[in-house]
Amino acid sequence: MYETLFVIGPPRTLYDMIPFIVVGMLLVAYGVWNRKRQELLRWVAPIIIGVILAALGAVDTVASQGRHEALYRAYAEGRCEVVEGVVHLEHEEPIDGHDIGEFGSVGDASFNIGHSPAYGTTVAHGGLLREGEWFRVWVYAGAVLRIDRPMEADAPASATPTSVDSTVLE
């Protein structure tokens, strides 16, 4: 028996870009409203910044949604690699962050935590995948899509990792 600790959810809606668009539109409106009261640079700059902010926010949100959708679809269709074994972390992110993230492996499957729309909680911030712990993980393109832990009574006696066919487990 396993206890499921994390499963990737369906992608969120594109509402994440609304704050960028609203702030961008407010800056554009401010610039247009002040165009006759101020010199050229003081009313054009907010318009340019507003357009850039709205455009970059929208592009980043759409790109992130596309990646999340691809990962979720891979999990839902069973195209991910399922491995079971002891976690080996090759690099842990420091508590102050701003690093390349954490990367490690379980069995033959390598993963990266911290820069993915899938599982992203590093050990420094209370993450589950700690060095030496036994887990069953679903991995696709380096992203962890699901994490299962064996129940206490079913904990494995050996630390030999095994690969499992994902179609059997569903």
Side-chain angles (χ1 to χ4, degrees):
M1 289 293 271
Y2 284 88
E3 172 186 19
T4 300
L5 303 174
F6 170 81
V7 177
I8 188 171
R12 299 180 314 263
T13 61
L14 295 177
Y15 293 124
D16 293 345
M17 76 173 86
I18 288 177
F20 293 101
I21 293 173
V22 168
V23 171
M25 287 174 32
L26 288 173
L27 285 170
V28 169
Y30 173 80
V32 170
W33 186 63
N34 283 314
R35 71 175 184 257
K36 295 194 177 169
R37 295 182 191 94
Q38 296 179 353
E39 60 189 58
L40 180 67
L41 184 61
R42 293 192 66 139
W43 70 266
V44 170
I47 292 174
I48 293 171
I49 292 170
V51 168
I52 291 172
L53 181 67
L56 290 179
V59 167
D60 182 55
T61 302
V62 169
S64 176
Q65 292 294 96
R67 172 112 166 97
H68 191 142
E69 175 69 30
L71 292 172
Y72 180 72
R73 209 173 313 127
Y75 173 73
E77 295 171 358
R79 291 185 284 125
C80 44
E81 182 179 5
V82 181
V83 292
E84 186 173 345
V86 175
V87 174
H88 173 65
L89 291 178
E90 297 159 16
H91 176 75
E92 285 189 37
E93 186 172 71
I95 188 72
D96 55 354
H98 302 297
D99 197 6
I100 58 174
E102 289 183 351
F103 50 92
S105 61
V106 173
D108 294 334
S110 297
F111 57 82
N112 185 356
I113 298 173
H115 302 289
S116 167
Y119 182 74
T121 308
T122 61
V123 171
H125 295 97
L128 299 169
L129 296 177
R130 298 175 181 272
E131 179 73 31
E133 297 277 333
W134 185 279
F135 286 103
R136 180 168 66 185
V137 296
W138 278 245
V139 179
Y140 181 79
V144 176
L145 307 181
R146 178 174 166 175
I147 302 172
D148 288 352
R149 177 176 54 198
M151 299 291 210
E152 293 299 323
D154 298 331
S158 71
T160 308
T162 59
S163 290
V164 182
D165 182 15
S166 65
T167 58
V168 173
L169 297 172
E170 294 302 321

